[in-house]
Amino acid sequence: MPTFHRKQNRLPRDSYIGRQWYLITVNAEGRCPVVANGNVVSLLVETLRAASMKHMFDIYAYCFMPDHFHFEPVGLMPESDLIEFMRTWKGTSTVPLREVGLDDLLQKGFYDHILRPDDNAEAVAWYIFNNPVRKGLAKDARDWPYSGSWMFDWKKAVAPPEAFVPPGWRGNPASTPVAL
């Protein structure tokens, strides 16, 4: 019988620690369209804020879509740990979501892209903000009620001229979620 070797889906663990910027996508379990709901978003934002403070992150951009969520966290300290931040956020979201009848709302794991020095953080943010426009849910990104930033007034900002496209985001076998 042949021996199969599973390809490692993630960079070494220490790659997710420090003052870095990330593009994260978290899907709803089964891609059920229940995420972009005012009550659900409020719960997720509240737990995201608590987890980000605990693990020394700020959120440059976020957007809740019906069946997934994008955000751009920024590690603020050398010891900021993305994996622990995500574990805390998803874990602390479970109880309040269950209280409103949403068991197992979020898929296990998440998709990540560590921004490189030549990635434009503003372009990444506008990639996130424009998700509802690309999906036909809003004509202008500023009209979508489930987007925001904790670091700047994004509704007054001007999108950069260059667009950001996540490398290998779709169809790339290496783009698989990390299990928590």
Side-chain angles (χ1 to χ4, degrees), residues 66-103:
D67 63 355
H68 67 284
F69 164 56
H70 292 288
F71 69 111
E72 187 175 357
V74 181
L76 300 175
M77 302 297 286
E79 56 275 5
S80 297
D81 184 329
L82 180 74
I83 303 298
E84 287 303 315
F85 164 50
M86 293 298 294
R87 184 175 287 136
T88 298
W89 173 62
K90 291 177 82 176
T92 58
S93 297
T94 302
V95 172
L97 289 169
R98 282 186 182 150
E99 289 173 355
V100 297
L102 295 171
D103 289 337

Side-chain angles (χ1 to χ4, degrees), residues 68-147:
H68 67 284
F69 164 56
H70 292 288
F71 69 111
E72 187 175 357
V74 181
L76 300 175
M77 302 297 286
E79 56 275 5
S80 297
D81 184 329
L82 180 74
I83 303 298
E84 287 303 315
F85 164 50
M86 293 298 294
R87 184 175 287 136
T88 298
W89 173 62
K90 291 177 82 176
T92 58
S93 297
T94 302
V95 172
L97 289 169
R98 282 186 182 150
E99 289 173 355
V100 297
L102 295 171
D103 289 337
D104 301 321
L105 172 70
L106 304 175
Q107 276 184 351
K108 305 232 183 289
F110 58 92
Y111 296 89
D112 71 78
H113 171 69
I114 300 172
L115 273 61
R116 276 84 171 167
D118 59 334
D119 287 333
N120 180 332
E122 289 179 26
V124 172
W126 282 95
Y127 167 82
I128 292 170
F129 297 143
N130 279 310
N131 205 358
V133 175
R134 286 190 303 276
K135 298 292 184 182
L137 299 172
K139 290 188 187 268
D140 184 292
R142 292 169 183 87
D143 296 335
W144 187 247
Y146 308 119
S147 296

Side-chain angles (χ1 to χ4, degrees), residues 144-166:
W144 187 247
Y146 308 119
S147 296
S149 172
W150 301 344
M151 297 176 71
F152 71 105
D153 186 355
W154 76 276
K155 290 192 176 191
K156 293 181 180 176
V158 176
E162 69 200 55
F164 175 80
V165 178

Side-chain angles (χ1 to χ4, degrees), residues 23-101:
L23 171 57
I24 303 296
T25 299
V26 178
N27 292 324
E29 187 62 46
R31 296 298 294 252
C32 291
V34 296
V35 177
N37 160 306
N39 293 332
V40 173
V41 170
S42 292
L43 289 171
L44 291 173
V45 167
E46 184 180 316
T47 56
L48 185 67
R49 191 175 300 276
S52 66
M53 288 180 3
K54 178 178 180 177
H55 293 284
M56 299 162 288
F57 278 86
D58 211 341
I59 307 299
Y60 193 69
Y62 68 84
C63 179
F64 289 89
M65 296 293 289
D67 63 355
H68 67 284
F69 164 56
H70 292 288
F71 69 111
E72 187 175 357
V74 181
L76 300 175
M77 302 297 286
E79 56 275 5
S80 297
D81 184 329
L82 180 74
I83 303 298
E84 287 303 315
F85 164 50
M86 293 298 294
R87 184 175 287 136
T88 298
W89 173 62
K90 291 177 82 176
T92 58
S93 297
T94 302
V95 172
L97 289 169
R98 282 186 182 150
E99 289 173 355
V100 297

